[in-house]
Amino acid sequence: MKSLQKCRYKQIEKIFVERYKDAKTELNYKNLYELLICVILSAQCTDKRVNLITPALFKSYPNVYSLSKASLKDVKELIKSCSFFNNKAKNIIAMAKQVVDKFNGEIPLNQEELKSLSGVGQKTANVVLLEYCGKNLMAVDTHVFRVSHRLGLSKASNPESTEKDLNRIFKQNRAILHQGFVLFGRYICKAIKPECKECFVYDFCKYDNKMELK
């Protein structure tokens, strides 16, 4: 039974790696500072919305030094169309101040140090590290969580435990799998009305409500 399960996992991994080996985040950024801001803003918000917000934000505050001295009211105004903009505005300003005061203006590329910054949790830290540094990490957002459960890769009730399950199954290619699961979940394995006819892992799907193909 275990050998069959391992074979199944290997097949899923192979399919996703082949399809998404060159995939990158859909967030628009030019440097580490912009990437970190984008990922913080993207929590419970679409990448498309973040990409509409950030050009004006980065024009006004192009680095951690300028953002650390920013007016909270001004930042809120710039990102007001983003979900939870009040908290996010406070967090990104606080994050910038921490980077300036504790890290001499250099955003750390260490998981624990990144997580010490305001607005940065496990998922955000991992996304930054796998995207910017190519680290062999898995980050679990809503898309990765949904895809992992529908494919029977995890039964965990929270992202942290789901990440542990995925890390146990996949020892390599985690960054590619993360990007693949995100894009697959965003465009094919949607939360509502998944595009089952377009699904390339339909035979592996354990979702009770998947469409019956004829």
Side-chain angles (χ1 to χ4, degrees):
M1 184 66 178
K2 284 186 177 180
S3 61
L4 285 174
Q5 196 173 51
K6 283 184 178 181
C7 181
R8 181 175 173 275
Y9 294 156
K10 283 292 183 185
Q11 287 178 288
I12 291 172
E13 179 179 4
K14 184 174 184 291
I15 291 168
F16 273 90
V17 169
E18 286 178 351
R19 283 183 172 261
Y20 295 104
K21 61 185 177 182
D22 298 318
K24 296 291 182 183
T25 180
E26 292 186 319
L27 293 168
N28 296 331
Y29 70 94
K30 296 176 183 176
N31 51 51
L32 178 56
Y33 163 73
E34 292 188 1
L35 174 62
L36 179 55
I37 296 292
C38 286
V39 178
I40 292 173
L41 295 181
S42 71
Q44 298 182 359
C45 184
T46 65
D47 288 3
K48 183 177 180 180
R49 171 57 52 188
V50 172
N51 289 337
L52 291 173
I53 293 168
T54 50
L57 178 67
F58 295 149
K59 183 177 180 180
S60 296
Y61 305 105
N63 52 54
V64 288
Y65 293 102
S66 55
L67 184 59
S68 70
K69 299 175 183 177
S71 156
L72 178 59
K73 181 180 179 181
D74 188 41
V75 174
K76 284 183 179 181
E77 182 64 25
L78 287 167
I79 68 168
K80 65 182 180 181
S81 64
C82 184
S83 57
F84 306 104
F85 72 93
N86 284 308
N87 282 335
K88 289 177 180 178
K90 292 176 185 176
N91 281 334
I92 62 174
I93 293 173
M95 176 277 294
K97 288 179 179 177
Q98 289 170 312
V99 171
V100 171
D101 294 340
K102 296 181 180 179
F103 300 101
N104 298 315
E106 296 291 330
I107 294 170
L109 288 172
N110 169 283
Q111 188 184 61
E112 291 308 311
E113 289 179 338
L114 270 173
K115 287 166 62 178
S116 74
L117 301 175
S118 295
V120 180
Q122 178 89 353
K123 185 214 79 172
T124 297
N126 284 5
V127 169
V128 169
L129 291 171
L130 69 88
E131 173 66 26
Y132 195 77
C133 305
K135 297 274 185 165
N136 185 40
L137 295 170
M138 177 65 71
V140 178
D141 67 357
T142 54
H143 299 300
V144 176
F145 186 86
R146 179 172 65 255
V147 170
S148 299
H149 285 69
R150 288 181 178 177
L151 289 177
L153 302 173
S154 176
K155 294 181 180 179
S157 60
N158 58 69
E160 293 77 15
S161 296
T162 300
E163 182 186 330
K164 289 178 182 178
D165 287 340
L166 293 173
N167 285 338
R168 277 195 293 268
I169 294 169
F170 305 115
K171 303 303 181 185
Q172 303 297 325
N173 300 310
R174 290 171 182 164
I176 296 173
L177 291 168
H178 162 77
Q179 301 288 15
F181 286 179
V182 168
L183 295 174
F184 178 65
R186 184 173 293 160
Y187 298 112
I188 298 177
C189 194
K190 302 174 185 177
I192 300 172
K193 295 183 179 180
E195 304 286 343
C196 296
K197 290 182 179 179
E198 305 299 321
C199 182
F200 49 83
V201 284
Y202 182 88
D203 293 338
F204 297 100
C205 182
K206 296 183 178 294
Y207 182 43
D208 290 339
N209 297 321
K210 71 179 182 180
M211 181 189 298
E212 290 295 328
L213 301 183
K214 296 180 181 179

